[in-house]
């Protein structure tokens, strides 16, 4: 009987093909987490009334999230086998399906993240001039034109501005869902032991928020804001390390399939890239650099920020590829 | 100018520490220090990834890609990763962290980068012919009293003087 099962498992097409997800999905998960992180900070600091203390975080950074989400969604469509059927995801909502949650959350988030910066056009223009990106002011001119000359866009922008606090609460909630969803999407795959663990949701959320803070730290032109984001990022990196250690400890204490999954990072194929490149260069080094910066040493903010962003991307690539390799033993 | 100078450690003291490092490298890794070898192993890894058949046929690459762990699983690659890590920390601590292209003021960035690329290619070919660079061949070689290390030292610095004379215009502005 056992022999029959062993051979049957090899029959092509009996199991869904395991290596179906590649770099587009990993990139999409990274971009989703990044957008969630940026929006989380924007809405949180808006609701705390720090709109003017944290101008880049609240007013300018969200304009990037719309672009980030659109790139992510394009990658998602690119990954589909039947690209033209993508609209069918939006004809249904299944509460038990993370993909359904993700698809709908992304639509809501992308609309809100587009509307959010539209009503901060003066601040965006000021930022562009301060950075010397004057060539990009066609964007702000276009928004002004929409607001003043077109009736429906004007109505939408003014309504959004009026009820901004209400939308901020919704967006805050949705950004947390989006951040968690990028992890839950993987952990819903019961057939892969590496993915099938509950820490993945919070771990991906923390990592996404950390990349969000790194993004703000990198592009902000306000010193105080940078410093605060740097401090927050250090705390997030510490949390990430905590989650990672617990994820691996939990797997080591689990049944054989989970031990084998953990072995991918403890001597297996992904050991070096996980510990040296992701943990070493994507978490520990930026943490040390940020600590030095807080102590008053001169560190270009782009350096720790880029390390965190690249580390976050590599983490998702590792998780997507390693997860598909981890299977339950025969 | 003086403060700029003081940011660096005394070169004789640094040399002494480097010597201690070689002893540690031989003790822990069983091999000397090196840098070109690490780049070479990464290059082999890339070749092996792109075209495994070619890598296994090529007489120069094949011996390095035959192991199960792959060509990049060597001490030199990890050593280089550590060097990058340490260099960033050292630059931050001593306030040298900034983007810049080290060059003479009178030549353009573009020219400097082209010339650096040419120099780098020549250096890469040379290190493979000589089986090591200043660190792998000379430093580690001389540490074990190997004749090739001394020959390497004379050749690298001897020709270095000659080439420096020929190309000094790139660094020092002369009257014409």
């Amino acid at each position: 009987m056992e022999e029959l099962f062993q051979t049957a498992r090899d029959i092509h097409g009996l199991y869904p093909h395991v290596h179906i997800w590649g770099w587009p999905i990993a990139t999409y998960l990274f971009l989703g987490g990044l957008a969630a992180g940026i929006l989380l900070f924007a809405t949180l600091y808006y609701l705390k009334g720090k709109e003017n203390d944290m101008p880049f975080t609240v007013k300018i950074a969200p304009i990037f999230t719309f672009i980030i989400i659109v790139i992510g969604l394009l990658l998602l469509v690119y990954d589909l086998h039947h690209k033209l059927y993508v609209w069918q995801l939006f004809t249904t909502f299944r509460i038990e399906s993370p993909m359904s949650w993700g698809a709908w959350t992304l639509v809501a988030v992308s609309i809100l993240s587009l509307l959010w910066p539209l009503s901060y056009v003066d601040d965006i223009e000021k930022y562009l001039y301060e950075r010397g990106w004057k060539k990009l002011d066609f964007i702000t001119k276009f928004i002004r034109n929409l607001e003043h000359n077109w009736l429906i866009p004007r109505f939408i922008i003014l309504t959004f501005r009026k009820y901004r606090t209400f939308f901020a609460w919704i967006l805050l909630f949705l950004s947390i869902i989006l951040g968690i969803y990028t992890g839950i999407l993987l952990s819903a795959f019961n057939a892969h032991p590496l993915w099938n663990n509950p820490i993945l949701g919070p771990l991906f959320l923390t990592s996404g928020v950390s990349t969000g803070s790194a993004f703000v730290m990198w592009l902000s032109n306000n010193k105080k804001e940078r410093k605060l984001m740097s401090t927050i990022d250090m705390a997030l990196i510490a949390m990430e390390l905590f989650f990672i250690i617990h994820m691996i400890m939990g797997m080591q204490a689990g049944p054989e399939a989970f031990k084998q999954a953990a072995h991918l990072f403890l001597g297996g194929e992904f050991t070096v890239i996980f510990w040296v490149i992701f943990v070493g260069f994507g978490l520990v080094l930026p943490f040390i650099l940020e600590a030095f910066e807080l102590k008053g040493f001169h560190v270009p903010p782009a350096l720790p920020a880029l390390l965190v962003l690249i580390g976050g991307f590599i983490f998702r690539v590792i998780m997507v590829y390693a997860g598909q390799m981890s299977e339950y033993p025969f | 100018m003086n403060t700029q100078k003081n940011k660096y450690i005394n070169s004789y003291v640094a040399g002494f520490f480097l010597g201690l490092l070689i002893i540690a490298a031989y003790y822990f890794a069983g091999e000397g220090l090196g840098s070109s070898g690490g780049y070479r192993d990464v290059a082999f890894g890339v070749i092996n990834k792109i075209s495994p058949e070619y890598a296994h046929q090529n007489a120069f690459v094949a011996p390095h890609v035959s192991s199960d762990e792959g060509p990049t699983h060597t001490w030199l690659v990890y050593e280089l990763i550590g060097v990058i890590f340490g260099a960033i920390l050292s630059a931050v601590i001593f306030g040298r962290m900034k983007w810049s292209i080290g060059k003479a003021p009178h030549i353009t960035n573009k020219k400097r980068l082209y010339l650096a690329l040419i120099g780098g290619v020549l250096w890469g070919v040379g290190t493979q012919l000589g089986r090591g660079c200043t660190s792998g061949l000379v430093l580690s070689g001389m540490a074990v009293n190997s004749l090739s290390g001394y020959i390497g030292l004379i050749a690298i610095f001897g020709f270095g003087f000659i080439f420096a004379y020929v190309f000094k215009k790139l660094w020092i502005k002369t009257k014409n």
Side-chain angles (χ1 to χ4, degrees):
Chain A
M1 194 62 185
E2 207 179 297
E3 204 179 309
L4 181 73
F5 270 86
Q6 281 194 9
T7 43
R9 197 167 176 175
D10 289 334
I11 295 173
H12 179 72
L14 180 69
Y15 281 80
H17 192 40
V18 281
H19 277 276
I20 45 166
W21 283 356
W23 66 269
I25 294 294
T27 315
Y28 158 70
L29 294 178
F30 167 71
L31 294 174
L34 176 62
I38 296 171
L39 288 174
L40 181 85
F41 285 118
T43 49
L44 190 69
Y45 281 108
Y46 174 78
L47 291 170
K48 282 176 83 177
K50 296 271 176 75
E51 204 177 353
N52 294 320
D53 295 339
M54 314 273 292
F56 182 81
T57 315
V58 176
K59 298 172 183 173
I60 295 140
I63 201 168
F64 293 98
T65 53
F66 180 71
I67 303 161
I68 290 168
I69 290 173
V70 168
I71 297 170
L73 286 174
L74 288 176
L75 286 170
L76 208 55
V77 175
Y78 169 78
D79 189 71
L80 287 178
H81 192 68
H82 296 289
K83 294 176 180 50
L84 294 176
Y85 292 165
V86 62
W87 57 273
Q88 291 189 348
L89 257 177
F90 301 102
T91 56
T92 174
F93 178 73
R94 286 173 57 178
I95 197 160
E96 76 278 17
S97 156
M99 271 195 196
S100 211
W101 274 92
W104 283 103
T105 306
L106 272 168
V107 170
V109 168
S110 57
I111 294 170
L112 289 176
S113 73
L114 179 64
L115 290 174
W116 185 274
L118 286 191
S119 44
Y120 281 127
V121 62
D122 291 337
D123 298 274
I124 293 169
E125 198 167 70
K126 197 176 140 219
Y127 174 80
L128 289 177
Y129 287 157
E130 274 175 16
R131 288 243 110 169
W133 297 340
K134 214 180 162 183
K135 277 182 188 165
L136 291 174
D137 69 355
F138 68 90
I139 303 171
T140 46
K141 278 180 186 151
F142 175 71
I143 299 171
R144 282 231 173 78
N145 189 18
L146 276 182
E147 194 183 326
H148 295 299
N149 303 335
W150 296 77
L151 196 62
I152 297 170
R154 182 180 164 78
F155 173 74
I156 294 171
I157 291 172
L158 291 182
T159 314
F160 188 85
R161 198 176 288 172
K162 199 172 165 190
Y163 299 104
R164 192 190 284 281
T165 310
F166 169 71
F167 287 116
W169 278 109
I170 294 179
L171 201 50
L172 176 66
F173 179 67
L174 288 177
S175 65
I176 295 171
I177 291 186
L178 179 62
I180 294 179
Y181 144 79
T182 57
I184 299 273
L185 182 68
L186 298 182
S187 62
F189 273 80
N190 300 343
H192 296 302
L194 180 66
W195 288 349
N196 191 13
N197 79 73
I199 287 186
L200 233 51
L203 176 57
F204 271 65
L205 175 67
T206 316
S207 169
V209 177
S210 168
T211 53
S213 70
F215 186 87
V216 171
M217 191 169 81
W218 178 26
L219 287 177
S220 169
N221 54 353
N222 181 317
K223 255 196 178 157
K224 260 175 125 182
E225 209 174 348
R226 274 182 176 169
K227 208 170 172 180
L228 181 64
M229 280 299 158
S230 181
T231 319
I232 291 173
D233 195 38
M234 281 172 69
L236 290 167
I237 289 174
M239 274 169 73
E240 252 181 283
L241 287 169
F242 175 82
F243 281 138
I244 287 165
I245 290 165
H246 275 255
M247 179 177 82
I248 289 174
M249 274 171 67
M251 284 180 177
Q252 283 289 73
E256 186 58 29
F258 287 85
K259 278 185 197 161
Q260 280 183 17
H263 182 72
L264 286 166
F265 301 142
L266 301 170
E269 199 170 318
F270 293 91
T271 311
V272 173
I273 189 165
F274 187 82
W275 293 106
V276 178
I277 306 296
F278 167 55
V279 176
F281 278 86
L283 296 177
V284 175
L285 185 59
F287 184 90
I288 296 171
L289 291 176
E290 282 163 358
F292 271 120
E293 200 183 5
L294 287 182
K295 283 250 166 199
F297 289 93
H298 174 69
V299 181
L303 187 70
L306 283 175
L307 286 171
V308 168
L309 288 168
I310 294 168
F313 173 66
I314 287 173
F315 171 60
R316 278 147 185 96
V317 173
I318 296 171
M319 289 310 282
V320 166
Y321 279 90
Q324 290 174 99
M325 282 175 72
S326 87
E327 283 181 339
Y328 284 96
F330 290 113
Chain B
M1 205 60 212
N2 214 11
T3 49
Q4 187 74 22
K5 251 186 178 173
N6 293 341
K7 283 179 186 169
Y8 293 92
I9 191 172
N10 179 302
S11 49
Y12 295 105
V13 177
F16 176 73
F17 283 129
L18 200 54
L20 292 181
L21 197 64
I22 292 184
I23 298 175
Y26 274 109
Y27 182 78
F28 289 110
E31 280 181 65
L33 300 172
S35 63
S36 53
Y39 291 104
R40 179 203 59 201
D41 292 336
V42 172
F44 286 161
V46 173
I47 294 170
N48 195 30
K49 204 85 201 164
I50 295 170
S51 172
E53 303 97 53
Y54 175 79
H56 283 88
Q57 279 166 15
N58 188 297
F60 180 55
V61 186
H64 297 273
V65 294
S66 49
S67 72
D68 287 343
E69 279 126 352
T72 50
H73 199 73
T74 61
W75 123 262
L76 288 176
V77 173
Y78 293 95
E79 179 220 66
L80 278 186
I81 292 172
V83 167
I84 297 170
F85 207 101
I88 292 173
L89 287 187
S90 149
V92 166
I93 294 169
F94 294 101
R96 264 181 272 128
M97 198 75 215
K98 62 170 189 203
W99 305 109
S100 69
I101 297 171
K103 64 174 188 69
H106 65 279
I107 68 166
T108 60
N109 283 346
K110 213 170 160 186
K111 194 171 179 186
R112 167 70 181 133
L113 293 176
Y114 275 131
L115 290 167
L117 182 70
I118 296 168
V121 171
L122 290 173
W123 188 246
V125 174
T127 56
Q128 293 319 299
L129 293 176
R131 295 204 153 201
C133 57
T134 357
S135 3
L137 173 68
V138 179
L139 208 62
S140 301
M142 281 168 60
V144 291
N145 221 3
S146 146
L147 181 63
S148 61
Y150 292 100
I151 296 173
L153 176 81
I154 294 166
I156 290 175
F157 287 97
F159 280 96
F161 275 120
I162 296 171
F163 275 86
Y165 182 78
V166 176
F167 292 106
K168 70 178 176 193
K169 273 187 189 169
L170 296 172
W171 288 95
I172 307 161
K173 203 169 184 181
T174 49
K175 272 174 193 167
N176 28 324

